[in-house]
Protein backbone atom coordinates (compact mmCIF):
# COMPACT_ATOMS: atom_id res chain seq x y z
CA UNK A 1 0.00 0.00 0.00
CA UNK A 2 2.82 2.38 0.87
CA UNK A 3 4.63 1.52 -2.35
CA UNK A 4 1.52 2.34 -4.38
CA UNK A 5 1.16 5.68 -2.61
CA UNK A 6 4.84 6.46 -3.25
CA UNK A 7 4.41 5.59 -6.93
CA UNK A 8 1.39 7.90 -7.23
CA UNK A 9 3.30 10.73 -5.54
CA UNK A 10 6.31 10.28 -7.86
CA UNK A 11 4.11 10.25 -10.96
CA UNK A 12 2.32 13.42 -9.79
CA UNK A 13 5.64 15.12 -9.03
CA UNK A 14 7.03 14.22 -12.45
CA UNK A 15 3.95 15.45 -14.30
CA UNK A 16 3.83 18.73 -12.40
CA UNK A 17 7.57 19.27 -12.98
CA UNK A 18 7.10 18.66 -16.70
CA UNK A 19 4.16 21.07 -16.79
CA UNK A 20 6.20 23.80 -15.07
CA UNK A 21 9.07 23.35 -17.53
CA UNK A 22 6.73 23.72 -20.49
CA UNK A 23 5.28 26.95 -19.09
CA UNK A 24 8.73 28.49 -18.74
CA UNK A 25 10.97 27.07 -21.46
CA UNK A 26 14.67 27.73 -21.20
CA UNK A 27 16.51 29.86 -23.71
CA UNK A 28 18.30 26.83 -25.14
CA UNK A 29 15.27 24.61 -25.55
CA UNK A 30 15.90 23.61 -29.15
CA UNK A 31 16.61 25.24 -32.48
CA UNK A 32 15.91 28.95 -32.96
CA UNK A 33 12.58 30.05 -34.37
CA UNK A 34 13.45 30.92 -37.97
CA UNK A 35 10.04 32.47 -38.67
CA UNK A 36 10.54 34.89 -35.80
CA UNK A 37 14.04 35.74 -37.01
CA UNK A 38 12.71 36.40 -40.52
CA UNK A 39 9.88 38.58 -39.16
CA UNK A 40 12.31 40.65 -37.09
CA UNK A 41 14.61 41.07 -40.10
CA UNK A 42 11.71 42.16 -42.31
CA UNK A 43 10.52 44.68 -39.74
CA UNK A 44 14.03 46.10 -39.40
CA UNK A 45 14.32 46.37 -43.19
CA UNK A 46 11.15 48.48 -43.31
CA UNK A 47 12.71 51.18 -41.09
Amino acid sequence: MIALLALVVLIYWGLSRNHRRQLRPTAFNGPPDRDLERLVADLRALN
Side-chain angles (χ1 to χ4, degrees), residues 1-12:
M1 183 68 178
I2 294 175
L4 178 62
L5 182 62
L7 181 63
V8 169
V9 168
L10 286 175
I11 289 173
Y12 176 78

Side-chain angles (χ1 to χ4, degrees), residues 26-37:
T26 59
F28 304 104
N29 195 16
D33 186 4
R34 306 221 27 150
D35 291 332
L36 180 61
E37 291 176 0

Side-chain angles (χ1 to χ4, degrees), residues 17-42:
R17 181 174 180 258
N18 186 36
H19 182 69
R20 282 192 314 266
R21 289 187 67 180
Q22 287 181 358
L23 290 176
R24 294 175 284 140
T26 59
F28 304 104
N29 195 16
D33 186 4
R34 306 221 27 150
D35 291 332
L36 180 61
E37 291 176 0
R38 187 176 299 122
L39 177 65
V40 170
D42 288 344

